């Protein structure tokens, strides 16, 4: 009897410790961002390459500022993703890729590692910053994922001003769409795509968070939803374990629940971040789905493996200089 009580007490204590792992530990903060699997096409004007680099740097700066001021990792992730959605040069928010019908449909999600709260939206057509709407779903609704019309109705209820379809369309995406349609008149035909955005962060109190935002794949079927807004597939965060944001062939990332799989390897098999992240990407590659992930563990270790020729990415660790990697000419069809 006493033994049973003791056991339950120890189990409860273990749960409590696991649930708050890292909190109060005054870890150095870290933020990692990505601008999508695949590098930039070599025919891209220098001005646009510079704009992509600037977008990643600004995203790191925005997220890093939140963390440096003692803010929350979830706010840092949201700030970084919001900036990349506004950049006009990445596949999220304004500048997102176009579906088979020639307009943008956007997906986004975010997750807080301390209590595994999450919010997501999918197939929204008129929301400038889907990551902010995902946050509103998390904070102000009893739901995790809202889609399409219903998500936009919720946006209006929350006072979000909706845009017209033109706001999202840039000449570069229109040209990519035209080429994809010409090459193959079937929705979903593998067109090169770059620029999905994401961020993961660890704040000074040991809280992990992750967020991802995308227009999906060029020439996708109307209504197609990828991995980015699906918790466990494109986005995942669990305190004491890891935070993940994915990019790549969404269908494969969904089937393999890529982001959750990485955290599960750490939590249940005691694997180290770098090896586990590389193994997940290798497994997806073998299944025919290329892409990459950015991941952070509870100690601030970073992993950014990818099976595409490149991945736009950057990181900033407290006390160090921010770094950004933007490679040109290493593109991939997902
Ligand atoms: N994973 C995204 C999707 O399938 C696309 C990407 O990351 O480029 O919607």
């Amino acid at each position: 009897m006493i033994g049973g009580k003791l056991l339950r007490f120890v189990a409860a204590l273990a749960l409590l410790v696991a649930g708050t792992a890292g909190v109060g530990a005054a870890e150095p903060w870290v933020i990692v961002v990505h601008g999508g699997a695949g590098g930039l096409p070599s025919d891209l004007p220098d001005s646009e390459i510079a704009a992509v680099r600037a977008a990643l740097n600004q995203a790191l700066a925005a997220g890093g500022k939140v963390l440096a001021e003692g803010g929350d990792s979830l706010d840092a992730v949201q700030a970084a993703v919001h900036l990349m959605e506004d950049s006009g040069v990445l596949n999220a928010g304004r500048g997102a890729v176009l579906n088979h019908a020639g307009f943008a449909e956007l997906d986004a999600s975010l997750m807080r590692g301390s209590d595994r709260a999450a919010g997501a939206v999918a197939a929204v057509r008129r929301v400038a910053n889907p990551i902010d709407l995902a946050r509103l779903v998390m904070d102000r609704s009893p739901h995790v994922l809202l889609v399409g019309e219903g998500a936009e109705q919720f946006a209006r209820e929350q006072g979000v001003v909706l845009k017209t379809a033109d706001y999202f369309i840039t000449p570069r995406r229109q040209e990519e769409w035209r080429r994809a349609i010409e090459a193959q008149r079937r929705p979903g035909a593998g067109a090169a795509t770059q620029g999905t955005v994401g961020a993961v962060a660890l704040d000074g109190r040991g809280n992990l968070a992750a967020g991802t935002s995308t227009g999906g794949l060029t020439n996708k079927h109307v209504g197609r939803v990828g991995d980015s807004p699906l918790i466990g597939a494109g986005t995942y965060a669990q305190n004491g374990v890891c935070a993940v944001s994915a990019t790549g062939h969404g269908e494969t990332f969904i089937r393999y629940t890529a982001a959750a799989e990485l955290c599960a390897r750490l939590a249940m098999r005691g694997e180290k971040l770098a090896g586990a992240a590389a193994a997940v990407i290798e497994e997806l590659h073998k299944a025919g789905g290329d892409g990459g992930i950015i991941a952070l563990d509870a100690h601030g270790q970073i992993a950014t493996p990818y099976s595409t020729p490149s991945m736009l990415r950057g990181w900033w660790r407290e006390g160090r200089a921010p770094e950004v990697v933007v490679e040109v000419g290493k593109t991939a069809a997902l």
Side-chain angles (χ1 to χ4, degrees):
M1 184 68 180
I2 291 184
K5 267 190 186 158
L6 189 67
L7 211 65
R8 279 199 296 279
F9 174 72
V10 171
L13 199 68
L15 268 178
L16 195 73
V17 170
T20 57
V23 176
E27 301 275 358
W29 55 259
V30 190
I31 181 161
V32 187
V33 299
H34 73 78
L40 296 174
S42 40
D43 59 356
L44 208 62
D46 287 351
S47 59
E48 224 169 300
I49 296 168
V52 169
R53 192 179 288 281
L56 293 177
N57 273 313
Q58 283 161 13
L60 283 178
K65 181 172 186 290
V66 172
L67 297 168
E69 288 171 355
D72 214 72
S73 54
L74 187 70
D75 293 332
V77 160
Q78 186 182 348
V81 172
H82 177 110
L83 252 149
M84 293 189 281
E85 288 176 334
D86 283 349
S87 71
V89 290
L90 294 166
N91 177 15
R94 193 167 66 84
V97 301
L98 307 179
N99 65 14
H100 188 62
F103 60 86
E105 277 188 309
L106 310 171
D107 302 335
S109 68
L110 43 68
M111 187 168 188
R112 181 168 63 204
S114 57
D115 57 357
R116 285 193 257 179
V121 295
V124 292
R125 302 175 179 184
R126 291 181 293 164
V127 177
N129 293 103
I131 199 70
D132 294 349
L133 188 57
R135 180 71 189 262
L136 289 171
V137 171
M138 177 181 141
D139 288 347
R140 299 200 199 155
S141 90
H143 308 301
V144 168
L145 171 61
L146 292 179
V147 306
E149 286 276 308
E152 289 181 358
Q153 184 190 321
F154 176 73
R156 277 194 300 268
E157 288 162 10
Q158 296 300 321
V160 175
V161 178
L162 300 181
K163 302 284 186 189
T164 61
D166 297 353
Y167 167 82
F168 300 94
I169 301 178
T170 61
R172 173 180 162 207
R173 297 306 187 191
Q174 225 159 9
E175 177 54 22
E176 282 174 5
W177 173 80
R178 200 187 53 72
R179 274 193 239 150
I181 294 285
E182 255 170 32
Q184 180 55 275
R185 297 210 144 265
R186 187 166 47 84
T193 185
Q194 308 86 26
T196 287
V197 308
V200 292
L202 174 69
D203 64 33
R205 290 173 301 283
N207 292 306
L208 287 162
T212 312
S213 182
T214 189
L217 303 178
T218 304
N219 192 28
K220 67 184 180 181
H221 199 289
V222 175
R224 178 265 189 187
V225 172
D227 58 317
S228 310
L230 301 184
I231 298 302
T235 302
Y236 202 72
Q238 183 178 354
N239 268 22
V241 184
C242 70
V244 186
S245 170
T247 169
H249 185 251
E251 281 71 8
T252 317
F253 280 71
I254 293 170
R255 287 166 46 222
Y256 281 74
T257 55
E261 155 85 16
L262 172 51
C263 292
R265 279 172 176 261
L266 267 61
M268 292 188 238
R269 300 227 299 231
E271 292 183 23
K272 296 274 177 272
L273 184 77
V280 168
I281 287 302
E282 176 64 15
E283 191 177 27
L284 291 162
H285 170 70
K286 284 189 182 140
D290 282 320
I293 43 188
I294 55 169
L296 253 183
D297 73 10
H299 311 290
Q301 294 299 313
I302 299 171
T304 63
Y306 49 88
S307 60
T308 43
S310 183
M311 178 169 75
L312 305 174
R313 60 201 189 277
W315 50 88
W316 189 12
R317 187 184 292 282
E318 184 174 6
R320 308 254 186 95
E323 282 178 57
V324 157
V325 183
V326 173
E327 291 175 304
V328 180
K330 295 182 169 183
T331 54
L334 296 175

